[in-house]
Amino acid sequence: MATSYELTLESFMAGLKRRNPGETEFHQAVEEVSTYLIPYVTKYPQYQTARILERLTEPDRIIVFRVCWEDDQGNVRVNRGYRVQFNNAIGPYKGGLRFHPSVNLSILKFLGFEQIFKNSLTTLPMGAGKGGADFNPKGKSDREVMRFCQAFMTELSKHIGENIDVPAGDIGVGAREISYMFGQYKRLTNEFTGTLTGKGLEFGGSKIRKEATGFGCIYFMQEMLKHQSDDLAGKACVISGSGNVAQYAALKLIQLGAKVLTMSDSTGFIHDPDGINEEKLNFIIDLKTVKRQSLAEYAKHYKLEFHEGKRPWAVPCQLAFPCATQNELDENNAKDLMQKGFIGVAEGANMPTTIQAIKVFQNAKLLFSPGKASNAGGVAVSGLEMTQNSLRMSWSNEELETRLRNIMINIHEECVAHGSEDGYIDYVKGANIAGFTKVANAMLAYGVI
Ligand code: NDP
Ligand code: 2IT
């Protein structure tokens, strides 16, 4: 007879911290989820008896490897590469690769863990993984980036495959890096398969993938507003980041008649009181993806102040979209945002808001959507890229935008169905519970593995 035990958040987190010392981002992501899931599994004891939470917080496996490459001066350089294959209960491991000097196991485990719930919410058959390297693409030549990507893929290729694990982009990994890695994967395996997503349109990439995360985030905000009989037209918006997610969040806001006041990067932020229009946004896209320079150049070009080393949260606005990185919006930033007329936040990045800051928004009964719900559009269109690759065909822009839109609407409905509490929608609760059940039920069905 199996022993029964009392599961509390404190005891669960104490065990997790003991087993994963020092991994603060991973602890944070698990705590946010467990706060909602522990009461849930206590209510539905089949999950607790099968130790689903304990199993869900232990990755299936982690691959760590040396990446050796040569810079333009002929120096030998060494980085560390990773792939965290977290959970494949409902499909092949799926999730991005991040190249950033801050990359470590804690960050990749938090990202891989979040991916479980996010991928489940899309309703597509995707498990969860995340990977990357502590490589800094900044200041590197194209050839250096190519050599790094080839060296990285030489090892990673042994562990991935279209039915095993399908990586994509994340911070520091965009179209250029995916192309270099796909080319190397194809060379090593002598196969043309859809083992990476976010590929170029000429070689199996999906239309709308580039736009998907940012567009999806704005569609999600549109749904949250609609649910309280409001819309985006004329809303003053603050965005952080100016990379892939931020760029297309900004574009969709502009297209839907909202006013984009700010964007940021790791050097600071710009505040354009007239609003960033499509022409100015194209300047930013060129600056960040082609020239790869700081947003300070935008301030110079449009004769605005550059707020060096600062984040944009004190700029008065109605809606906020953190689209840069984890923990970029803390409790004090949340209080800054809560000026008169503030309506809410949709996360474009993964875990950009600290747990304390989320509480500030939720206590004030404002809109708050977690990244695993509102940034799921990116991985959703990655899933659709996998489908198109399997079918050996490609869908049109219209087809894909409609599918993306419907997936975001469906995630919103799931959050409402599982997160409603006395008229307030707790989107964090809704996303965690809705994302959990499908994966947990699959794990139950498999027995003890
Ligand atoms: P990019 O590399 O395209 O852009 C990242 C942006 O964030 C840049 O503006 C960068 O500034 C800024 N940034 C990165 N790190 C920091 C930091 N430590 N402090 C301040 N600013 C920082 O990445 P993405 O746009 O793809 O990713 C942004 C976020 O969205 C991440 O949290 C990612 O996990 C998440 N996400 C991405 C998806 C995708 O499809 N790409 C899907 C779902 C979520 P700088 O240019 O100066 O480096
Ligand atoms: O965080 C994410 O969802 C991503 N970086 C995209 C993952 C993917 O496989 O498209």
Side-chain angles (χ1 to χ4, degrees):
M1 173 84 183
T3 45
S4 67
Y5 69 115
E6 198 200 348
L7 185 65
T8 64
L9 181 62
E10 292 67 34
S11 63
F12 182 72
M13 286 308 301
L16 183 104
K17 288 178 182 173
R18 203 167 42 244
R19 289 193 308 282
N20 303 278
E23 297 183 349
T24 51
E25 292 86 359
F26 182 51
H27 302 166
Q28 182 183 340
V30 173
E31 184 179 332
E32 183 242 272
V33 168
S34 310
T35 303
Y36 294 99
L37 287 185
I38 286 178
Y40 188 75
V41 301
T42 309
K43 196 159 143 208
Y44 299 99
Q46 69 269 31
Y47 299 125
Q48 198 180 335
T49 311
R51 303 289 198 271
I52 295 291
L53 269 188
E54 288 83 345
R55 287 155 63 182
L56 213 51
T57 46
E58 196 63 44
D60 287 356
R61 72 188 63 76
I62 299 176
I63 299 137
V64 186
F65 51 95
R66 182 181 66 238
V67 186
C68 227
W69 56 285
E70 231 175 60
D71 68 20
D72 288 344
Q73 285 70 46
N75 302 306
V76 174
R77 308 281 287 256
V78 185
N79 286 97
R80 187 172 295 170
Y82 305 85
R83 187 72 181 166
V84 179
Q85 297 183 329
F86 223 111
N87 187 296
N88 68 354
I90 61 167
Y93 303 109
K94 180 84 196 87
L97 296 169
R98 177 177 291 192
F99 292 168
H100 193 272
S102 63
V103 162
N104 59 32
L105 258 191
S106 171
I107 289 177
L108 296 180
K109 281 167 71 177
F110 114 66
L111 289 163
F113 180 69
E114 290 281 286
Q115 205 83 40
I116 301 174
F117 304 88
K118 185 195 309 194
N119 293 5
S120 166
L121 282 169
T122 68
T123 70
L124 302 173
M126 297 183 291
K130 202 83 189 191
D134 60 354
F135 171 72
N136 185 1
K138 282 210 186 101
K140 304 288 190 300
S141 70
D142 274 354
R143 288 290 154 155
E144 288 177 324
V145 170
M146 180 189 78
R147 286 194 292 274
F148 176 80
C149 288
Q150 292 177 342
F152 179 83
M153 185 47 84
T154 300
E155 178 60 33
L156 187 69
S157 65
K158 299 171 193 163
H159 310 283
I160 62 176
E162 59 179 335
N163 296 315
I164 302 170
D165 183 352
V166 184
D170 194 79
I171 291 178
V173 178
R176 175 181 63 169
E177 292 74 18
I178 292 289
S179 304
Y180 289 144
M181 286 191 273
F182 184 72
Q184 180 73 348
Y185 183 78
K186 185 175 69 57
R187 173 162 76 166
L188 291 167
T189 56
N190 197 26
E191 268 187 359
F192 196 106
T193 55
T195 300
L196 288 164
T197 61
K199 299 185 290 297
L201 296 181
E202 305 80 2
F203 46 93
S206 174
K207 296 194 181 80
I208 304 290
R209 175 62 189 88
K210 179 171 58 136
E211 294 84 355
T213 314
F215 279 18
C217 179
I218 304 310
Y219 292 149
F220 197 89
M221 177 56 92
Q222 218 180 5
E223 290 307 301
M224 291 201 292
L225 289 170
K226 201 159 124 198
H227 196 74
Q228 45 185 50
S229 308
D230 200 352
D231 62 37
L232 279 168
K235 294 285 184 304
C237 302
V238 161
I239 297 181
S240 69
S242 51
N244 175 263
V245 179
Q247 290 166 12
Y248 292 97
L251 178 60
K252 191 47 83 182
L253 282 174
I254 297 166
Q255 288 173 350
L256 294 173
K259 193 168 183 182
V260 177
L261 295 173
T262 69
M263 291 183 81
S264 73
D265 65 18
S266 58
T267 64
F269 79 91
I270 46 138
H271 175 198
D272 194 331
D274 295 336
I276 297 170
N277 58 22
E278 275 196 51
E279 185 199 318
K280 293 171 174 176
L281 180 61
N282 285 335
F283 181 94
I284 293 178
I285 294 177
D286 180 64
L287 186 68
K288 297 305 296 183
T289 51
V290 182
K291 300 197 178 78
R292 298 178 189 274
Q293 291 174 346
S294 152
L295 275 182
E297 297 302 317
Y298 179 97
K300 234 184 261 169
H301 187 82
Y302 290 104
K303 304 197 171 28
L304 293 166
E305 188 187 342
F306 184 61
H307 302 271
E308 199 175 338
K310 298 215 172 77
R311 300 168 185 171
W313 312 124
V315 173
C317 63
Q318 292 162 290
L319 301 173
F321 300 92
C323 296
T325 194
Q326 65 275 356
N327 292 328
E328 55 164 328
L329 199 171
D330 64 19
E331 189 175 2
N332 288 331
N333 302 139
K335 287 179 183 156
D336 283 343
L337 277 170
M338 303 255 294
Q339 302 183 38
K340 200 167 164 292
F342 187 66
I343 299 170
V345 179
E347 291 187 334
N350 286 308
M351 207 171 77
T353 315
T354 64
I355 290 180
Q356 295 75 12
I358 296 175
K359 290 213 176 96
V360 172
F361 298 128
Q362 291 187 330
N363 289 342
K365 301 273 183 263
L366 295 176
L367 295 178
F368 177 83
S369 71
K372 72 193 79 171
S374 43
N375 75 31
V379 76
V381 176
S382 277
L384 299 176
E385 183 170 330
M386 291 164 72
T387 308
Q388 293 169 84
N389 291 167
S390 302
L391 295 171
R392 297 186 187 280
M393 61 178 292
S394 54
W395 292 326
S396 67
N397 270 305
E398 296 70 38
E399 171 80 33
L400 285 154
E401 249 196 278
T402 306
R403 283 179 186 267
L404 169 62
R405 192 88 232 267
N406 288 338
I407 288 172
M408 298 314 293
I409 291 173
N410 180 60
I411 296 176
H412 181 268
E413 282 170 3
E414 286 291 306
C415 289
V416 172
H418 293 90
S420 297
E421 273 174 3
D422 309 325
Y424 177 67
I425 315 292
D426 182 340
Y427 285 90
V428 185
K429 178 181 179 192
N432 284 333
I433 292 178
F436 171 76
T437 45
K438 183 177 168 188
V439 179
N441 290 341
M443 289 169 73
L444 279 185
Y446 297 143
V448 180
I449 54 172

